[in-house]
């Protein structure tokens, strides 16, 4: 007599739950490692972009015996309602150093469009001239073109309200005065002796606004001098690194104390501005007024930084202008390097080396008076940088010895 017997070949519910739990634990352990590997790859790609920019700068210097000008371009005398109005007759000497690098990074088509202008657009005076209009003109195609070599893969910012974004900026030294205007006034009146004296005393970086510089000017040594730095682009989230605080105090407040705007951070979320002072923040919907929103613009907010506050420090524009005025963010300002990487930002040295500078780099006395020639009570022109190793790296000819690794 045969007995019926049943043999189970499946898993019990308990066994399935155990397997699922084990898989969950393994995924939980694996995901951070995958994310870290992806960020490491993005960070390496970002460094490679910087190396290409460094090579382009050296090739440009070999070709023209100078670095590209920060705030260069054309000024045909077309004055349409003031310096702050958008111009289609010329670009008002507002172009960044990145514009001149396009043919050196395999962007010849973009360069040819810029250098030839656009004779077909129905705008006054019925065309865009060679070298284009001011960089905030979104109808000029090159200005709204995203150039991959100018973007860090770790930065998620994309699209409107920006024109073409960038994550790479020129080192403008360790001071504030004349950082945007150079030796000109705001109507582009040619330099006079007073403005020139103030420019030479304060603008001590590798790039000087509206002035040509050469490697021969770098007396501190190319390997000891910052040429460019990484910057994050704005995401519209009140980030202190990408949305400038535009105060209504006298302009000298920040020049005499670079840490002035630190008081306006949210005490519970210090990476963001306190919402109670949001009326003094820039309009994030405007392409003119947020970090890295115009790769073609030579203004500090878009393609410049100072070696004053350590990397990932806040942006501060302090003057008595209307915070919603474009004029306010074209005046003197304070902005450091920064990135979406953890703990610091890439910098490009004068010799082409790419280094990662941490937020904890020695940045000296953050409340020290910045270097100025006049109206500095008293003048401190020629002084050693008060901003430690970071400030010393930012100056090209202050004869400060760099005797430590960074």
């Amino acid at each position: 007599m045969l007995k019926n017997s049943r043999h189970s070949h499946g898993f019990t519910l308990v066994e399935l739950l155990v397997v699922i739990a084990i898989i969950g634990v393994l995924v939980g352990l694996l995901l951070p490692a995958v994310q870290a590997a992806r960020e490491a790859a993005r960070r390496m790609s970002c460094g490679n972009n910087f190396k290409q920019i460094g090579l382009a700068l050296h090739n440009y210097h070999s070709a023209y015996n100078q670095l590209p000008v920060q705030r260069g371009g054309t000024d045909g005398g077309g004055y349409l309602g003031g310096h702050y109005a958008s111009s289609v007759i010329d670009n008002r000497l507002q172009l960044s150093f990145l514009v001149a690098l396009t043919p050196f990074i395999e962007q010849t088509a973009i360069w040819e469009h810029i250098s030839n202008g656009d004779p077909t657009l129905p705008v006054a005076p019925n065309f865009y001239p060679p070298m284009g209009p001011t960089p905030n003109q979104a109808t000029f195609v090159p200005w709204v073109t995203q150039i991959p070599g100018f973007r860090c893969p770790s930065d998620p910012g994309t699209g409107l309200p920006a024109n073409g974004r960038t994550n790479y900026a020129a080192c403008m030294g360790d001071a504030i005065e004349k950082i945007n205007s150079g030796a000109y006034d705001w109507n582009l009146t040619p330099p006079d002796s007073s403005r020139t004296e103030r420019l030479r005393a304060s603008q001590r970086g590798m790039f000087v606004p509206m002035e040509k510089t050469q490697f021969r000017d770098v007396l501190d040594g190319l390997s000891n001098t910052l040429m460019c730095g990484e910057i994050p682009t704005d995401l519209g989230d009140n980030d202190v690194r990408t949305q400038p605080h535009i105060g209504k105090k006298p302009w000298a407040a920040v020049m005499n104390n670079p840490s002035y705007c630190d008081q306006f951070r949210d005490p519970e979320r210090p990476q963001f501005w306190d919402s109670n002072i949001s009326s003094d923040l820039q309009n994030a919907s405007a392409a003119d007024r947020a970090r890295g929103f115009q790769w073609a613009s030579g203004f500090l907010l878009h393609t410049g930084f100072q070696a004053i506050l350590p990397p990932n420090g806040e942006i501060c524009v302090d003057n008595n202008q209307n915070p919603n005025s474009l004029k306010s963010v074209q005046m003197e300002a304070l902005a450091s390097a920064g990135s979406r990487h953890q703990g610091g930002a890439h910098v490009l040295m004068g010799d082409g080396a790419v280094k990662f500078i941490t937020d904890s780099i020695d940045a000296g006395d953050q409340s020290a008076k910045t270097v100025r020639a006049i109206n500095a009570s008293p003048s401190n022109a020629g002084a050693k940088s008060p901003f430690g190793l970071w400030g010393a790296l930012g100056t090209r000819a202050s004869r400060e010895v760099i005797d430590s690794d960074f």
Side-chain angles (χ1 to χ4, degrees):
M1 180 177 179
L2 297 175
K3 293 183 179 180
N4 292 329
S5 61
R6 294 181 180 179
H7 299 283
S8 175
H9 298 287
F11 293 104
T12 66
L13 178 60
V14 173
E15 289 172 329
L16 284 172
L17 292 176
V18 169
V19 170
I20 291 172
I22 292 173
I23 292 174
V25 171
L26 292 176
V27 170
L29 293 173
L30 183 61
L31 279 180
V34 171
Q35 288 293 93
R38 287 177 175 172
E39 170 55 23
R42 290 191 292 262
R43 179 167 156 176
M44 182 178 296
S45 178
C46 181
N48 287 336
N49 286 346
F50 238 162
K51 289 180 181 178
Q52 294 303 313
I53 290 175
L55 182 61
L57 283 164
H58 277 260
N59 286 339
Y60 184 98
H61 193 280
S62 295
Y64 300 106
N65 198 32
Q66 68 172 75
L67 291 170
V69 176
Q70 177 74 337
R71 279 211 65 195
T74 56
D75 174 29
Y79 188 77
L80 301 179
H83 174 79
Y84 311 103
S86 298
S87 174
V88 295
I89 297 176
D90 54 61
N91 54 52
R92 309 298 290 160
L93 299 178
Q94 292 182 13
L95 300 188
S96 74
F97 76 107
L98 295 173
V99 173
L101 293 186
T102 51
F104 294 87
I105 60 166
E106 300 183 354
Q107 294 293 331
T108 305
I110 292 288
W111 170 249
E112 288 181 350
H113 194 161
I114 294 169
S115 57
N116 292 324
D118 194 331
T120 64
L121 293 180
V123 294
N126 301 319
F127 66 92
Y128 281 144
M131 300 309 296
T134 51
N136 59 342
Q137 292 287 336
T139 51
F140 188 57
V141 173
W143 296 165
V144 295
T145 300
Q146 289 287 340
I147 298 179
F150 293 161
R151 294 303 314 277
C152 170
S154 293
D155 190 300
T158 185
L160 297 173
N163 288 348
R165 296 178 186 240
T166 183
N167 294 104
Y168 306 113
C171 178
M172 308 300 291
D174 69 335
I176 295 176
E177 187 172 37
K178 314 305 291 181
I179 194 69
N180 274 324
S181 61
Y184 293 77
D185 69 9
W186 287 99
N187 290 326
L188 291 183
T189 304
D192 61 19
S193 58
S194 173
R195 292 194 297 270
T196 299
E197 176 189 359
R198 293 161 65 186
L199 177 78
R200 290 177 176 173
S202 59
Q203 292 305 301
R204 313 194 296 178
M206 182 77 81
F207 291 86
V208 177
M210 292 184 279
E211 299 282 339
K212 75 172 186 178
T213 54
Q214 301 172 289
F215 286 149
R216 61 173 293 177
D217 301 327
V218 186
L219 304 182
D220 291 349
L222 293 176
S223 62
N224 294 326
T225 306
L226 297 170
M227 186 155 58
C228 298
E230 192 178 357
I231 60 173
T233 70
D234 185 59
L235 304 179
D237 57 359
N238 257 12
D239 193 317
V240 299
R241 304 170 302 168
T242 62
Q243 291 190 27
H245 178 278
I246 303 173
K248 300 178 182 179
K249 299 291 184 181
W251 60 272
V254 180
M255 291 197 188
N256 290 330
N257 177 14
S259 63
Y260 172 82
C261 285
D262 185 68
Q263 63 186 301
F264 302 118
R265 291 174 181 257
D266 187 328
E268 296 182 358
R269 301 166 67 238
Q271 188 178 338
F272 301 93
W273 295 115
D274 191 331
S275 59
N276 293 326
I277 52 91
S278 61
S279 61
D280 285 345
L281 295 179
Q282 57 90 28
N283 179 2
S285 66
D288 301 276
R289 304 168 190 168
R291 192 70 158 146
F293 267 22
Q294 295 177 12
W295 71 266
S297 172
F299 287 117
L300 184 77
L301 284 181
H302 296 300
T303 58
F305 79 97
Q306 298 128 315
I308 298 177
L309 299 179
N312 291 304
E314 67 271 14
I315 295 180
C316 193
V317 181
D318 191 75
N319 55 53
N320 56 6
Q321 303 296 333
N322 177 357
N324 291 322
S325 167
L326 171 62
K327 183 177 179 180
S328 63
V329 294
Q330 293 183 353
M331 298 296 282
E332 318 309 357
L334 173 65
S336 190
S339 77
R340 301 291 177 183
H341 309 303
Q342 186 68 33
H346 288 105
V347 296
L348 174 67
M349 307 304 294
D351 63 353
V354 176
K355 298 180 180 291
F356 191 82
I357 300 293
T358 65
D359 297 344
S360 59
I361 188 173
D362 169 32
D365 182 0
Q366 294 297 286
S367 61
K369 177 176 61 179
T370 57
V371 173
R372 287 189 283 156
I374 58 177
N375 299 326
S377 303
S379 168
N380 58 352
K384 176 181 178 180
S385 178
F387 306 114
L389 174 61
W390 182 232
L393 290 171
T395 58
R396 65 182 182 274
S398 294
R399 302 299 178 93
E400 297 180 64
V401 177
I402 307 299
D403 55 2
S404 59
D405 292 332
F406 56 91

